[in-house]
Amino acid sequence: QVDAGVEWFQKSASFGFGYYAFEDQLKLAETDTDIDALRKDPRFVTALESVRARNKSIVSFIDAPAVYLPKAAETGGAMPVLVVLHASGSTKDAVVAGRWKQVADELGYALVAPSARILASREPKQGMVWYTSFADYAKPDRSALYESSIDKALDAFGKQHEIDRARVYLAGDQEGGMVALRLAFAHPERWKGVVATEAAFEESLVKPNAAAAKKAGLKVKLLIDRDAFAKRLTADPTKAIDPDTVIKAWTEHLDALGFPSAIETWTLDASGSSTADPLTTRIVARLRAMQPATAEAAAPK
């Protein structure tokens, strides 16, 4: 049934067939003997070319991190680097266009924003996600598959610029913050500190490596807006969850793992008198506090 087969392959291509983070769908279409008859049809060849071109554009998007270099980082010599993981549903480009650009400017850090590997919709520029199944991501033998673009981004930046290895920090928003925490705990020899904003704390992601991370001196901060956190928890009316109870439990877990005072929470100024973004202000202050003493003295204020 070649005509029907070609028609459905064309539909598959229009639906997004061709790219999947953990399976080479393009190779499947090129080699699967079940569709040998279709590959002789020029209509199939045309559709396959469109799939190949789209697949290439997606991989290119993922493999090229967004980078921003503030003037203070371009003074010559080794650069401090801040690698930031976008929230799921957002993109690497949103990172370098938002508050993290201001953070980089204030600290004089090079800003590197990798992309997650999983499509949130048809086009990568419309959003990417770090995982669709937390249970699969949390498996020790699977986590690195989801995170592979992060180390590649830092390595690619290091080929173009000299990096100050004593000041390489990892950060992330929401689900990106969860990924940042797991990766920083797993490789404290590479990351000197980690900042997660509005992220959930999952003990299972960090506990296996907590002792080694503490010994290595990893600096950790989770920054949480209590009002926004409470709003997220009450979004599901079927679950009665007290935000203070959750934060208290997370704090106790981190304390037990050897990271006291890792969680910092706040509420917005009720008077509304402050015009500064409280999260940006805290990110800058906490990253500055993580710097080695000699670097902090020389950092831009």
Side-chain angles (χ1 to χ4, degrees):
Q1 299 181 26
V2 172
D3 287 341
V6 168
E7 178 186 354
W8 279 102
F9 184 77
Q10 291 170 331
K11 288 182 179 180
S12 296
S14 68
F15 294 158
F17 174 85
Y19 175 78
Y20 180 60
F22 308 120
E23 178 184 46
D24 191 345
Q25 293 183 339
L26 185 59
K27 183 177 180 180
L28 178 67
E30 292 170 336
T31 62
D32 188 349
T33 57
D34 286 347
I35 56 173
D36 280 347
L38 300 188
R39 277 192 289 274
K40 300 175 183 178
D41 192 292
R43 295 169 298 173
F44 179 90
V45 174
T46 299
L48 184 59
E49 281 302 320
S50 70
V51 170
R52 188 178 288 114
R54 177 173 178 269
N55 192 74
K56 183 178 179 180
S57 69
I58 294 171
V59 172
S60 296
F61 180 88
I62 295 169
D63 286 347
V67 174
Y68 169 69
L69 296 179
K71 290 183 179 180
E74 297 182 300
T75 56
M79 295 183 183
V81 179
L82 175 61
V83 177
V84 178
L85 312 185
H86 61 78
S88 282
S90 184
T91 66
K92 60 182 183 180
D93 297 321
V95 169
V96 299
R99 70 159 47 91
W100 292 102
K101 180 177 181 291
Q102 181 182 344
V103 171
D105 280 330
E106 293 199 34
L107 293 170
Y109 290 178
L111 178 60
V112 178
S115 175
R117 298 183 60 202
I118 300 172
L119 290 164
S121 58
R122 178 165 170 75
E123 298 300 330
K125 290 185 178 181
Q126 295 173 352
M128 303 291 287
V129 298
W130 291 101
Y131 53 81
T132 53
S133 167
F134 175 78
D136 188 60
Y137 167 65
K139 294 177 181 176
D141 62 338
R142 295 283 292 174
S143 301
L145 295 174
Y146 290 84
E147 300 163 350
S148 62
S149 60
I150 304 169
D151 284 338
K152 286 181 180 179
L154 184 59
D155 290 341
F157 183 82
K159 291 178 180 179
Q160 300 294 324
H161 307 277
E162 184 182 0
I163 295 176
D164 179 353
R165 295 294 173 179
R167 290 187 289 167
V168 179
Y169 303 96
L170 186 59
D173 293 320
Q174 300 176 31
E175 291 87 351
M178 295 174 65
V179 174
L181 285 169
R182 197 216 76 85
L183 187 58
F185 271 77
H187 298 284
E189 76 286 351
R190 173 165 259 207
W191 311 100
K192 303 307 177 182
V194 57
V195 175
T197 69
E198 308 302 338
F201 173 69
E202 289 288 345
E203 186 179 18
S204 62
L205 291 179
V206 304
K207 187 174 182 178
N209 302 298
K214 178 176 174 55
K215 184 177 180 180
L218 181 70
K219 305 294 194 300
V220 180
K221 274 293 179 182
L222 280 74
L223 303 177
I224 300 173
D225 177 339
R226 280 179 175 266
D227 297 328
F229 183 59
K231 187 175 182 179
R232 290 196 299 272
L233 289 180
T234 57
D236 184 353
T238 64
K239 297 180 180 179
I241 305 175
D242 176 51
D244 289 333
T245 300
V246 174
I247 291 173
K248 182 175 182 292
W250 289 353
T251 301
E252 290 173 350
H253 289 315
L254 281 162
D255 286 351
L257 293 175
F259 295 88
S261 304
I263 294 182
E264 179 178 333
T265 65
W266 72 92
T267 57
L268 293 177
D269 181 0
S271 68
S273 59
S274 175
T275 58
D277 174 20
L279 180 53
T280 300
T281 300
R282 282 170 170 78
I283 292 171
V284 170
R286 302 311 163 249
L287 283 170
R288 183 168 280 143
M290 290 179 181
Q291 295 185 116
T294 53
E296 198 281 332
K301 299 296 189 294

